[in-house]
Amino acid sequence: RICMEVVLDSGKNNPVGIIGATCSSVATSISTLSGTFHIPIVSPSSTLSTLSDKEKYPYFLRTVPPDIGSIDAWISFIKYHGWNRIAILTANDDLNSEIASILSVKLMEFNIEEIARET
C-alpha cells in the first residue's frame, strides 16, 4: 500500500525506483502502475513468467529467474526416481496455474502420465 502511495504521489517525491514487491501478484499490480509513471521496480522474488513481457511491464526488473526455469529440474528429478505417474497439486493463483500447465506439457513430452491436477 505504501509503495502504491509513493507511485501515485510521485510528482512531489520524484522516486528514482522501487525495490520490493516480493510476490508476483503484488509485482504485477505495482509494475502496471509504476510503468505509467516510468518508475522502474526491482523485485527480489517475483517469479511469474508473464512479468518478463517487456511490452506489458517495461519497467519491471527482477533478481531471480522465472519459476518456469525450475521445471526442467523437476522433470530430471522425476526421471531420476523412475516415476511415470505424477499428480500436480497447486495453489489457486496465476503463478501456480502457469507452472502446472507448463509442467503438464513437459510431462507429456517425457511420457510421464499426469494422473490428477488439483488446486
Side-chain angles (χ1 to χ4, degrees):
R1 180 171 171 243
I2 292 171
C3 187
M4 297 293 267
E5 290 172 8
V6 168
V7 171
L8 291 172
D9 197 27
S10 64
K12 291 182 196 172
N13 298 325
N14 296 322
V16 174
I18 299 167
I19 297 174
T22 57
C23 67
S24 295
S25 59
V26 172
T28 302
S29 299
I30 293 174
S31 294
T32 301
L33 184 58
S34 69
T36 303
F37 295 97
H38 308 287
I39 300 169
I41 180 168
V42 179
S43 173
S45 56
S46 298
T47 56
L48 185 66
S49 68
T50 55
L51 286 164
S52 297
D53 182 349
K54 290 301 176 192
E55 293 291 320
K56 193 169 183 180
Y57 306 104
Y59 291 90
F60 178 79
L61 305 157
R62 65 173 126 218
T63 59
V64 294
D67 274 329
I68 59 170
S70 302
I71 292 175
D72 289 337
W74 298 347
I75 293 294
S76 293
F77 181 81
I78 291 165
K79 288 173 53 181
Y80 175 82
H81 287 286
W83 301 338
N84 58 11
R85 300 176 72 221
I86 300 295
I88 300 173
L89 306 174
T90 69
N92 190 15
D93 59 25
D94 290 343
L95 175 61
N96 287 292
S97 295
E98 175 187 52
I99 292 169
S101 294
I102 295 168
L103 178 58
S104 183
V105 169
K106 286 283 192 179
L107 290 172
M108 285 190 290
E109 288 176 16
F110 289 93
N111 296 317
I112 300 167
E113 181 184 2
E114 178 182 332
I115 58 173
R117 185 187 312 186
E118 296 292 329
T119 56

